[in-house]
Amino acid sequence: MWRAFFLAVGIYCCVLGAECLALDKAIMKRKVEQPAAYGQTVQASREIVPPDWAPWTLLSTGAILMIYSFTIPKRVHS
């Protein structure tokens, strides 16, 4: 179970690091409808800018976790 957990976390970190390497910023938009009589909608947005160290740190951490997951011994059921 621990082996699969560390492998999954390592893969997630590598994918997130690759995304941070490819993107400069991510803008998350959400539509919120006001109960006003005019029926207007308001755009609420959130901008996420990853720091410069994030892509390489996530990629290296994910690679180390994946290598570590392969060194955890398998359980032997007799």
Side-chain angles (χ1 to χ4, degrees):
M1 181 173 128
W2 287 109
R3 183 179 211 167
F5 174 74
F6 282 114
L7 184 62
V9 171
I11 290 171
Y12 179 75
C13 284
C14 281
V15 169
L16 191 60
E19 285 182 14
C20 288
L21 190 62
L23 298 176
D24 290 332
K25 64 180 175 178
I27 299 174
M28 315 261 293
K29 291 187 178 181
R30 178 177 51 144
K31 287 187 179 179
V32 179
E33 295 197 21
Q34 291 180 339
Y38 301 112
Q40 298 174 345
T41 59
V42 175
Q43 294 277 335
S45 64
R46 181 177 168 197
E47 185 175 303
I48 300 171
V49 179
D52 292 337
W53 54 265
W56 300 111
T57 303
L58 287 168
L59 281 170
S60 62
T61 303
I64 290 170
L65 281 172
M66 286 192 294
I67 291 170
Y68 174 70
S69 72
F70 292 126
T71 62
I72 297 174
K74 293 182 181 178
R75 294 208 175 205
V76 179
H77 297 290
S78 303

